[in-house]
Amino acid sequence: MTALALAGTAGCGGSPGDAPRPAPPGPEVRLVAYDGCDALLDGLRRATADQVGPYGLGGPGMMPLEGDTALRKGPAAAQPGVPNAAPPPGTPQHSTTNSHEPGADEPDLVKTDGRRIVTVTGGELRVIDPATRRVAHTMDLPGSGGAFRGGDAQLLLSGDRALVTTQQTAMLPMERRPLPGPGGFDDLPTPTPVPTTRLTLVDLSAAPKVIGTMTTEAGYVDARQTGSTVRVVMRSTPRIQFPGGNGGKGEKQAIEANRAAVLKAPLDAWLPSFRTDDGGGRAATYRSPCDQVSRPSSYAGSSLLSVLTFDLAKGLGDPKAIAVAADGTTVYGNGKSLYVTGTPPTPYTWNSPPRAPEPRTDIYKFDVAGTERPRYVASGSVKGFLLNQYSLSELDGNLRLATTTSQIDTRERKSESAVYVLAQHGARLDEIGRVGGLGKGERIYSVRFLGTTAYVVTFRQVDPLYTLDLKDPRRPRLGGELKITGYSAYLHPLADGRLLGVGRDADASGRTLGLQVSLFDVSGAQPRKVASYRLPDESSQAEFEPHAFLYWPQSGLTVIPVMNPGGGTSEALVLKIGGTSITRAGAVRHPDGERFGNGVKRSLVVGNTLWTFSDDGARATDAATLKNAAWLPFR
């Protein structure tokens, strides 16, 4: 890999109504290649040694990462969660995963193509026949038994193949790890989490059959699917045994011992391995080639972000891995571009209080329009931190993003939010427009970019819903503002210039009172709230997990899982959204929903049937009358 071209944040920005002016110079952000494996190892060792402390990597004083580990054109725009084209003849109409962009499907607990429903829960994959309302097949997922059973799993569906991602963490004891004690550090063994990510490719043409697996010690971040091509983003930290302070040594000696261990570690301690098995006895191990690993020009991280590529039609072979020596947790993709964002590392400083640097988000753009290895194309940086992937959107080659400047104390009156427009100039993502000063003293709770309009919700005591006009990306401007009590944590586009918000009701002091679903008219210059539905003391997973939200535009059917404050009694609230109204149609509850965390998690529509899913089973309900049609137990 040759050295990558320069990139920075020089650009134009301006207040609403002002002429564009040069943006303040920011740190240079570009990716550069390492000059061979020796240089790569030396760079990773030095970067890790700078960040190691008496506890190793992580621990007291480390800065938190930005957000998404878990929280996001007019009437003719594609509706998320709804097929963009008519289904094949004989296939009933059906909803799909509520993904951010129609061209980039996202992994979830449940998938359907209208002919079948595939679910993963409790270490098992199930195939449901929606026509007969029966579980057609059940298959144990590899590696899901014993202590790992019930681990997080998600899936993607492509024709007769499903890709299941399972994350597992085993607590394995290391020989010695430092713990604070009266003598400085106690010489006691400390359990260390050892992550394992497993990708399992399943053939669904008949009874489910495993036709390939990939395992890695890297942690799963996110994935996007376009056609049969899947891009998987992984994050890995160095696998180094940190000796720390043995025999009552103090903090300084512990740091020195840990740094010495870093400077002796081999390259494999950083480069994760990707071990594949085609199910027929042929296995192989892959790593990112040294010439496919880059780092930001202004720093190097101790962890690696890896992007893997698979064609599900061909199986799990060489993942064509590329890697960046940087940290990140937020992924945004639209089928043509893949953006991974992160925050620069904070060097460890011994015998001095932790510094709180100005929050900053670095952005790395990759071209994923084809089916081959992702191609890095540009980088940029903006002030502040992102809420989640819905804080980003690409339109006409420009990246729009919304950030808040302070994540340390949400009560800090100095915090404010801004929307940036970045244009690609060579290998740079340059700021060409900006609207700042949003929600002073508040932070962002939700963002939605729809065509040339952005909607931003900030909150502290009241909920300002801002609309921003981005028609001229060099002169973005504030369009309107609506102040109401409470806030919307997820915004969903409807037809005819309407916007649906799911969040919390609140009183004038900012104290939250329960679940609130709000309907906004955003067709005019000023947004208006035209309807709302409230459930006191309740909350919804849809506030922070958009995949839990279902909107079926054919009938206005809207399904939202709700839960009481104690974590029990979870049901699917069914609403009907009219032109200017929200009415309660009813609720769907599963058996044993009172058990903590055991309520309804997902819902979808196939034909005239509403399906809801929990860990215990799936319920089929008539979508018009909400009468029970079938209960399919999973246990």
Side-chain angles (χ1 to χ4, degrees):
M1 178 188 289
T2 57
L4 301 171
L6 292 175
T9 55
C12 296
S15 301
D18 293 343
R21 62 179 185 271
E28 181 184 60
V29 179
R30 59 187 175 96
L31 291 185
V32 296
Y34 290 93
D35 188 17
C37 292
D38 290 343
L40 173 60
L41 175 58
D42 182 66
L44 291 172
R45 283 174 170 174
R46 291 177 182 271
T48 306
D50 287 343
Q51 296 168 39
V52 78
Y55 296 89
L57 293 168
M62 299 301 290
M63 297 293 295
L65 294 175
E66 57 163 316
D68 210 357
T69 329
L71 279 155
R72 29 345 82 250
K73 299 182 180 182
Q79 293 291 330
V82 179
N84 296 318
T91 302
Q93 283 194 317
H94 60 279
S95 61
T96 59
T97 299
N98 182 29
S99 298
H100 187 180
E101 296 284 7
D105 194 19
E106 300 173 10
D108 199 15
L109 308 176
V110 183
K111 293 284 182 180
T112 185
D113 57 8
R115 298 181 296 117
R116 60 191 156 208
I117 300 171
V118 186
T119 73
V120 285
T121 184
E124 294 178 323
L125 178 145
R126 292 177 178 85
V127 180
I128 296 173
D129 181 355
T132 61
R133 295 170 179 162
R134 295 178 181 274
V135 176
H137 302 286
T138 300
M139 185 192 78
D140 288 335
L141 292 169
S144 60
F148 293 140
R149 190 169 185 83
D152 293 336
Q154 294 184 323
L155 67 92
L156 290 163
L157 190 62
S158 176
D160 286 333
R161 294 189 170 186
L163 181 69
V164 182
T165 302
T166 307
Q167 299 179 80
Q168 306 165 342
T169 301
M171 299 301 292
L172 301 179
M174 298 288 279
E175 291 182 9
R176 299 292 180 190
R177 286 292 300 272
L179 288 175
F185 284 80
D186 294 327
D187 184 19
L188 297 174
T190 301
T192 300
V194 178
T196 298
T197 300
R198 181 187 298 269
L199 303 184
T200 304
L201 186 60
V202 182
D203 183 355
L204 302 173
S205 58
K209 176 184 177 183
V210 175
I211 57 174
T213 61
M214 189 211 74
T215 57
T216 178
E217 61 274 19
Y220 170 79
V221 177
D222 211 340
R224 295 294 181 272
Q225 176 185 351
T226 301
S228 63
T229 301
V230 174
R231 314 285 183 172
V232 183
V233 180
M234 300 278 192
R235 176 183 181 271
S236 56
T237 55
R239 296 168 302 285
I240 300 172
Q241 180 176 327
F242 296 106
N246 293 327
K249 293 181 180 178
E251 180 175 310
K252 185 176 181 180
Q253 290 82 359
I255 295 173
E256 291 175 350
N258 287 339
R259 286 178 175 170
V262 168
L263 296 176
K264 295 177 182 178
L267 184 57
D268 287 354
W270 283 270
L271 290 181
S273 62
F274 306 105
R275 301 171 293 278
T276 63
D277 188 327
D278 66 359
R282 290 182 294 274
T285 299
Y286 303 91
R287 297 181 190 270
S288 297
C290 295
D291 65 354
Q292 294 293 334
V293 182
S294 303
R295 66 170 178 82
S297 58
S298 58
Y299 67 90
S302 61
S303 59
L304 289 182
L305 283 173
S306 299
V307 183
L308 316 183
T309 299
F310 299 101
D311 184 344
L312 300 190
K314 297 179 180 179
L316 300 182
D318 184 352
K320 305 173 185 175
I322 66 169
V324 178
D327 216 332
T329 56
T330 301
V331 175
Y332 164 74
N334 57 16
K336 295 181 179 179
S337 301
L338 184 75
Y339 292 87
V340 182
T341 74
T343 53
T346 302
Y348 186 88
T349 52
W350 175 72
N351 204 24
S352 63
R355 294 177 294 108
E358 182 180 60
R360 182 177 112 221
T361 296
D362 293 343
I363 309 111
Y364 308 103
K365 177 182 179 180
F366 299 90
D367 180 354
V368 293
T371 60
E372 296 304 313
R373 196 186 303 269
R375 183 175 63 88
Y376 164 74
V377 291
S379 301
S381 185
V382 295
K383 291 182 179 180
F385 67 97
L386 300 172
L387 175 66
N388 53 36
Q389 63 155 311
Y390 285 81
S391 299
L392 300 106
S393 172
E394 185 184 73
L395 182 67
D396 297 330
N398 294 328
L399 178 66
R400 297 89 54 82
L401 64 165
T403 68
T404 297
T405 57
S406 173
Q407 65 175 344
I408 307 304
D409 183 358
T410 57
R411 297 170 296 177
E412 184 181 345
R413 302 299 300 178
K414 293 181 180 179
S415 71
E416 62 179 63
S417 299
V419 171
Y420 296 86
V421 182
L422 306 183
Q424 183 180 337
H425 297 141
R428 301 193 311 267
L429 294 175
D430 291 337
E431 179 189 320
I432 61 171
R434 179 189 352 128
V435 177
L438 304 177
K440 292 186 176 180
E442 302 170 342
R443 71 171 178 88
I444 290 176
Y445 272 70
S446 61
V447 183
R448 196 74 194 231
F449 291 92
L450 299 173
T452 57
T453 303
Y455 301 96
V456 179
V457 170
T458 62
F459 177 76
R460 186 167 182 261
Q461 290 181 305
V462 294
D463 166 9
L465 169 62
Y466 296 100
T467 65
L468 291 91
D469 184 349
L470 308 177
K471 290 186 181 70
D472 184 349
R474 294 184 176 274
R475 294 176 180 268
R477 63 184 184 86
L478 183 64
E481 177 181 349
L482 173 66
K483 288 190 175 183
I484 53 176
T485 55
Y487 63 86
S488 295
Y490 171 67
L491 298 171
H492 192 84
L494 307 182
D496 304 321
R498 295 172 300 152
L499 195 65
L500 193 67
V502 180
R504 298 293 184 95
D505 187 18
D507 59 23
S509 68
R511 183 174 66 91
T512 56
L513 304 174
L515 178 68
Q516 178 173 242
V517 181
S518 304
L519 182 61
F520 302 99
D521 180 348
V522 293
S523 61
Q526 292 291 333
R528 296 185 303 117
K529 184 177 180 179
V530 297
S532 63
Y533 181 86
R534 298 177 177 87
L535 272 179
D537 301 323
E538 305 286 328
S539 63
S540 175
Q541 187 186 16
E543 298 174 38
F544 56 87
E545 174 52 275
H547 296 160
F549 175 90
L550 170 66
Y551 173 70
W552 188 237
Q554 283 84 336
S555 62
L557 183 80
T558 302
V559 184
I560 303 168
V562 296
M563 182 175 291
N564 67 21
T569 314
S570 173
E571 61 186 17
L573 172 67
V574 184
L575 303 173
K576 285 292 184 74
I577 309 299
T580 57
S581 65
I582 303 176
T583 56
R584 185 181 188 274
V588 178
R589 182 175 293 185
H590 288 199
D592 296 326
E594 290 77 10
R595 290 192 290 117
F596 179 82
N598 192 53
V600 176
K601 294 181 178 180
R602 296 292 187 270
S603 57
L604 56 85
V605 171
V606 178
N608 298 319
T609 302
L610 169 66
W611 289 86
T612 51
F613 302 86
S614 66
D615 288 343
D616 277 346
R619 186 177 292 285
T621 306
D622 186 286
T625 65
L626 296 188
K627 290 183 178 180
N628 177 56
W631 166 248
L632 284 62
F634 289 169
R635 297 177 187 271

